[in-house]
Amino acid sequence: MEEHLIEDGKYRYIEKGEGTPMIILHGLMGGLSNFQGVSEYFPPKGYKVLIPELPIYDLPLLKTTVKNFAMFLERFIEHKGLKDVILLGNSLGGHIGLLHTKMYPEMVKALVITGSSGLYESAMGDGYPRRGDYEFIKKKAEDVFYDPKVATKEIVDEVFATVNDRMKLVKTLAIAKSAIRHNMSKDLPHMNTPTCIIWGEDDTVTPPNVAKEFHELLPDSDLYWIEKCGHAPMMEHPDDFNHILEGWLQKRGF
């Protein structure tokens, strides 16, 4: 992503535009550039888009949990002096957004989740990643998308480097365990924040039945599907994703 990364105390983030704050939460293996389509589309339409770097690998091992990421997000919101935020999260980012909304409902005006963990245990990956096996990692990265070509060499190289860094691998597995512990099926029926669920029809990481369960459990949610699309709709079909999200925000008056 070409945008300037702001370094502000303990926070590193991208910020674009003025208006209603929309905070984007990346996934476990997802870079800030995964949301380039969103960060270019919404600022001209009256949104301040912020993409903070989450401290996925920066916290002590015992604090490497979904709850601590949600608390980090709240400190970032307070640091920026924001209120009535829209949270948009993919995969682990969706889970962080959900837990943050449960913990600090007064701060969140709306929630958008896509390919989110929080209900489905395999969402964080199945089993121990095979270190050193580039072709295996390449296949796993391609499986995230409906069109394997979306998994560029740059994306595969980044994932490969992560799983071959021992401490990052240990923390990745700690996050996976934390995500399983923080299953939100009992919390969701009590969360009344308006929620937009955008899901790929061909998501094999968090299959379509996961989206349906989120929709059934969240009292004020709308569910939208994108065809020929895997786990990261905002990357694979950015135009469709943006049009669905914009339509939902307009319908809800956000």
Side-chain angles (χ1 to χ4, degrees):
M1 185 179 268
E2 299 282 318
E3 284 91 345
H4 173 60
L5 194 64
I6 297 166
E7 302 210 17
D8 179 7
K10 61 180 77 170
Y11 303 105
R12 287 159 53 91
Y13 57 95
I14 289 166
E15 179 177 332
K16 294 182 72 175
E18 290 297 331
T20 303
M22 179 187 293
I23 300 178
I24 293 174
L25 306 167
H26 62 81
L28 181 58
M29 298 284 186
L32 307 194
S33 60
N34 292 10
F35 289 90
Q36 189 165 359
V38 175
S39 71
E40 290 175 354
Y41 187 83
F42 282 96
K45 297 179 181 293
Y47 295 89
K48 180 200 290 281
V49 174
L50 302 109
I51 316 180
E53 259 188 13
L54 299 172
I56 301 288
Y57 303 115
D58 299 339
L59 298 178
L61 186 58
L62 290 175
K63 293 191 174 181
T64 302
T65 65
V66 179
K67 184 175 181 180
N68 275 306
F69 298 147
M71 291 164 67
F72 171 88
L73 171 59
E74 178 57 21
R75 291 194 296 273
F76 175 72
I77 291 170
E78 290 175 2
H79 175 74
K80 292 294 294 177
L82 304 173
K83 58 183 181 179
D84 294 332
V85 302
I86 298 167
L87 297 181
L88 191 174
N90 172 242
S91 201
L92 174 67
H95 198 165
I96 295 167
L98 283 158
L99 188 56
H100 177 278
T101 301
K102 179 207 163 192
M103 293 166 67
Y104 310 98
E106 70 285 354
M107 303 299 291
V108 183
K109 178 160 67 172
L111 180 62
V112 185
I113 58 173
T114 180
S116 179
S117 59
L119 285 177
Y120 182 59
E121 290 187 0
S122 295
M124 302 302 294
D126 46 358
Y128 201 86
R130 278 156 60 179
R131 298 170 73 190
D133 189 338
Y134 189 86
E135 286 305 311
F136 176 79
I137 298 297
K138 182 170 182 279
K139 177 72 169 63
K140 295 296 274 186
E142 289 174 346
D143 287 348
V144 169
F145 305 102
Y146 176 81
D147 178 1
K149 291 197 292 295
V150 179
T152 60
K153 184 176 186 301
E154 185 182 14
I155 289 171
V156 177
D157 286 351
E158 198 171 319
V159 176
F160 184 73
T162 297
V163 300
N164 280 281
D165 179 318
R166 185 179 175 280
M167 186 45 71
K168 283 187 177 180
L169 182 59
V170 167
K171 289 186 176 180
T172 297
L173 296 172
I175 293 165
K177 288 175 184 170
S178 169
I180 292 167
R181 283 198 306 273
H182 280 96
N183 185 290
M184 299 196 64
S185 56
K186 291 186 173 69
D187 301 316
L188 299 179
H190 308 290
M191 292 171 55
N192 295 305
T193 303
T195 305
C196 178
I197 305 166
I198 306 176
W199 225 262
E201 286 188 355
D202 303 279
D203 188 341
T204 58
V205 181
T206 45
N209 62 295
V210 179
K212 292 173 185 172
E213 191 174 349
F214 272 121
H215 184 40
E216 287 165 7
L217 291 172
L218 283 161
D220 188 10
S221 63
D222 296 293
L223 173 57
Y224 301 92
W225 299 101
I226 297 181
E227 295 179 356
K228 297 182 178 177
C229 182
H231 186 55
M234 70 290 166
M235 290 178 71
E236 201 159 6
H237 293 284
D239 292 343
D240 291 342
F241 184 90
N242 289 337
H243 291 152
I244 289 170
L245 179 53
E246 182 182 23
W248 184 80
L249 291 169
Q250 288 177 346
K251 182 177 87 167
R252 292 303 193 105
F254 300 141

